[in-house]
């Protein structure tokens, strides 16, 4: 049976995005399984949607699910790159990370529970190196710093040392890496609430796909791509991402006609306000239906009408 990804914070997104202007232009910058897009199409029969995904396989699945819907333009690419060249959106949604499809039916190494090749690239057709190549190339210090920064892993040094010790024989699968990590950490941590490799896997995925750099870049670009009155919603899944969204939104809202603080020359015009004073989080009912939504946080930025 095909794996389904349940769209996270769907009703909250809709609440902040309504009313969708008739004949409006929406960007679903992380199309994934097309869950949010399907709802936008239901709510606005005259809207057009630009749906972006870096993963060609996800794009194919979304096309099938949405039956090649003519109101959707399917775009293969990284959201920060696509949004550099596009303008005029009434709504933009960025739902970060990977989908259930990546975790459950993948052969790309996103899950440490099944034996899969240690790849982790969202776009295997691009120039990024795989996680297996990355752990061969990095110096021990660089590896430890990556695991610490992107995984917030307190045993990053031990884990990096163990990987470097073992890598001469090749670490090519998720289970091999997970076992090396498991053996390198203290016994109490091995039997903790989460699998001891969880944070290292998150760190490697972020590094392989340059996720935080892309998030930093997409925020001012997406803000610039909004029409006056337009809204940008970003759903993040861990504190590193949410911190970036929170600070960039504040800077943009406070940076009247300023380009220096947001460090992106394209944000030249427009005034903005942060609509969500606190991040919107899922209700208990959503978390019990879909535990993957547990750590989701939605923040919304609005470009003010001119005048
Ligand atoms: C959490 S899923 C989106 C799920 C979707 N909203 C739904 O409800 O079906 C994130 C999707 O965005 C893609 N993605 C992640 N980072 C990206 C980026 N920087 N540029 C383009 N696509 C990206 C992933 O391949 C994945 O399919």
């Amino acid at each position: 049976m095909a794996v389904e990804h349940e769209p996270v914070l769907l009703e909250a997104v809709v609440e902040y995005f309504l009313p969708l202007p008739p004949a409006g232009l929406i960007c679903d910058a992380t199309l994934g399984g097309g869950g949010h897009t399907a709802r936008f199409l239901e709510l606005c029969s005259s809207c057009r949607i630009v749906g972006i995904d870096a993963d060609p396989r996800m794009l194919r699945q979304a096309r099938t699910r949405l039956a090649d819907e003519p109101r959707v333009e399917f775009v293969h690419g990284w959201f920060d790159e696509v949004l550099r060249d596009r303008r005029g959106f009434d709504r933009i949604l960025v739902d970060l990370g990977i989908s259930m499809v990546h975790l459950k039916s993948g052969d790309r190494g996103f899950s440490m529970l099944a034996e899969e090749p240690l790849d982790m690239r969202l776009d295997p057709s691009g120039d990024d190196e795989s996680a297996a190549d990355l752990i061969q190339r990095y110096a021990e210090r660089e590896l430890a710093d990556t695991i610490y920064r992107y995984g917030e892993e307190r045993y990053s040094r031990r884990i990096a040392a163990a990987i470097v010790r073992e890598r001469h024989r090749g670490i090519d699968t998720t289970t091999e890496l997970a076992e090396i990590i498991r053996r390198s950490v203290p016994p109490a941590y091995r039997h903790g609430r989460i699998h001891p490799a969880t944070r290292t896997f998150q760190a490697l995925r972020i590094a392989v796909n340059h996720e935080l750099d892309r998030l930093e870049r997409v925020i001012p670009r997406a803000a610039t791509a909004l029409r006056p009155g337009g809204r940008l919603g970003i759903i993040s899944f861990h504190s590193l991402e949410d911190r970036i969204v929170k600070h960039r939104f504040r800077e943009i809202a406070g940076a009247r006609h300023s380009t220096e603080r947001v460090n992106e020359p394209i944000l030249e015009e427009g005034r903005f306000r942060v609509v969500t004073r606190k991040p919107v989080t899922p209700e208990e009912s959503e978390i019990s239906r879909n535990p993957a939504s547990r750590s989701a946080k939605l923040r919304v930025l609005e470009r003010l009408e001119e005048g």
Side-chain angles (χ1 to χ4, degrees):
M1 203 178 82
V3 177
E4 289 263 338
H5 175 92
E6 179 165 343
V8 168
L9 287 171
L10 182 60
E11 290 318 311
V13 169
V14 164
E15 194 179 307
Y16 281 94
F17 275 17
L18 284 179
L20 295 172
L25 184 61
I26 300 171
C27 176
D28 186 345
T30 46
L31 186 61
H36 289 94
T37 279
R39 187 87 169 104
F40 299 148
L41 290 167
E42 273 169 22
L43 291 167
C44 181
S45 58
S46 56
C47 284
R48 283 172 306 126
I49 300 185
V50 175
I52 306 169
D53 207 296
D55 184 340
R57 189 196 287 174
M58 292 308 299
L59 211 58
R60 275 198 302 278
Q61 283 199 15
R63 243 185 217 286
T64 308
R65 170 172 181 191
L66 300 168
D68 277 322
E69 166 62 58
R71 288 173 290 165
V72 181
E73 180 190 352
F74 295 88
V75 180
H76 175 231
W78 296 101
F79 49 50
D80 52 311
E81 293 173 13
V82 177
L83 282 169
R84 190 178 42 204
D85 306 321
R86 303 245 184 171
R87 293 284 184 279
F89 292 105
D90 297 289
R91 304 285 182 267
I92 301 176
L93 176 66
V94 180
D95 176 16
L96 291 164
I98 54 175
S99 89
M100 224 10 110
V101 180
H102 287 112
L103 280 174
K104 289 280 168 67
S105 62
D107 46 11
R108 299 242 194 94
F110 292 112
S111 163
M112 65 230 141
L113 302 175
E115 178 158 14
E116 294 174 16
L118 196 55
D119 185 334
M120 297 198 191
R121 287 171 300 171
L122 284 178
D123 182 5
S125 67
D127 300 330
D128 292 329
E129 64 184 338
S130 69
D133 290 341
L134 186 146
I135 59 177
Q136 290 295 335
R137 182 173 65 77
Y138 273 16
E140 183 174 328
R141 175 74 190 268
E142 201 177 4
L143 195 53
D145 288 350
T146 301
I147 296 170
Y148 182 72
R149 275 185 55 213
Y150 295 161
E152 299 182 294
E153 169 58 72
R154 75 181 118 138
Y155 297 112
S156 56
R157 304 225 166 277
R158 286 180 187 225
I159 293 172
I163 292 173
V164 167
R165 220 167 29 241
E166 309 256 356
R167 70 183 174 189
H168 64 277
R169 57 185 175 83
I171 305 172
D172 298 320
T173 67
T174 47
T175 40
E176 280 173 304
L177 178 63
E179 181 53 21
I180 291 169
I181 295 168
R182 202 185 63 79
R183 277 191 271 119
S184 72
V185 297
Y189 195 58
R190 263 178 234 166
H191 307 293
R193 197 174 51 83
I194 60 167
H195 189 292
T198 306
R199 292 170 181 278
T200 303
F201 270 63
Q202 172 184 302
L204 292 175
R205 198 197 83 208
I206 291 176
V208 163
N209 296 293
H210 310 282
E211 290 182 23
L212 300 185
D213 296 340
R214 292 193 181 281
L215 176 58
E216 289 270 8
R217 281 198 295 266
V218 79
I219 296 172
R221 289 180 186 172
T224 305
L226 287 174
R227 280 203 180 119
R231 286 186 169 191
L232 161 65
I234 303 190
I235 302 174
S236 65
F237 287 88
H238 51 77
S239 55
L240 295 166
E241 290 172 343
D242 184 54
R243 215 172 296 149
I244 292 174
V245 178
K246 177 171 145 186
H247 287 127
R248 291 287 170 243
F249 274 15
R250 276 201 195 146
E251 281 177 8
I252 291 172
R256 202 188 159 134
H257 297 275
S258 151
T259 57
E260 19 180 280
R261 289 191 57 215
V262 287
N263 202 20
E264 267 279 342
I266 55 170
L267 195 78
E268 281 160 1
E269 52 189 68
R271 288 190 305 121
F272 297 84
R273 78 177 175 107
V274 181
V275 182
T276 42
R277 270 208 277 145
K278 285 200 291 179
V280 180
T281 54
E283 311 261 340
E284 275 307 318
S285 55
E286 174 166 3
I287 297 173
S288 56
R289 203 175 57 240
N290 178 19
S293 70
R294 178 177 300 281
S295 50
K297 289 196 169 124
L298 167 70
R299 294 184 189 266
V300 179
L301 181 78
E302 181 179 80
R303 178 166 183 171
L304 299 176
E305 299 282 358
E306 281 152 7

